[in-house]
Amino acid sequence: MKTFALSAAAMLLASTAMADVQTRTITFENEGATLSGTLYLPADYSGERLPTVVVSGAWTSVEEQMPREYAEEMVERGFAAFTFDFRGWGKSGDLPQNVRFQEDPAAKTSDLRAAFELVATLPEV
């Protein structure tokens, strides 16, 4: 069995990359559930309105996985970015009848629409 260890240089590089981005947790409602998201902004953000992207992951991912990576990359390119967990996944509330970890394309499409509606109201956008 192989084991992997992060070198001090790799850990420094990872923490440096995170230093270039500031984040803010945002919750919002959709169809009776509270969804949890994160707004990503440049570290030197000073109040201007930024073009913004909503980043969602593969159907079974949560926002700390692939969406976070893409959000950070978008911030490096001058955008604000918003990631979130779909209902039934990650930190967001459940689907109807307390269902979690179930693929529901209609619910996820509804959650995406709600995320876009939320983002359009943010002063950073």
Side-chain angles (χ1 to χ4, degrees):
M1 178 184 204
K2 292 183 181 181
T3 60
F4 297 93
L6 282 178
S7 68
M11 289 189 292
L12 179 60
L13 181 60
S15 63
T16 301
M18 286 302 292
D20 295 331
V21 176
Q22 61 175 287
T23 61
R24 179 163 55 104
T25 300
I26 299 175
T27 58
F28 60 106
E29 299 293 317
N30 188 37
E31 297 185 13
T34 301
L35 284 74
S36 179
T38 304
L39 180 66
Y40 292 78
L41 299 165
D44 60 353
Y45 177 74
S46 60
E48 69 277 13
R49 295 174 70 121
L50 295 172
T52 305
V53 295
V54 173
V55 182
S56 82
W59 288 114
T60 60
S61 71
V62 293
E63 70 167 315
E64 293 87 3
Q65 294 173 327
M66 189 264 330
R68 184 192 74 206
E69 299 294 324
Y70 281 95
E72 290 172 357
E73 289 291 327
M74 295 307 295
V75 168
E76 288 181 18
R77 288 163 173 75
F79 293 85
F82 183 71
T83 65
F84 69 98
D85 288 328
F86 291 106
R87 283 178 286 153
W89 296 88
K91 296 179 198 137
S92 289
D94 296 343
L95 288 161
Q97 301 172 345
N98 300 319
V99 171
R100 294 196 62 77
F101 312 117
Q102 176 178 314
E103 290 306 320
D104 186 334
K108 288 186 174 186
T109 300
S110 177
D111 291 348
L112 277 167
R113 285 188 179 117
F116 277 101
E117 289 171 6
L118 165 78
V119 166
T121 69
L122 299 176
E124 298 89 349
V125 176

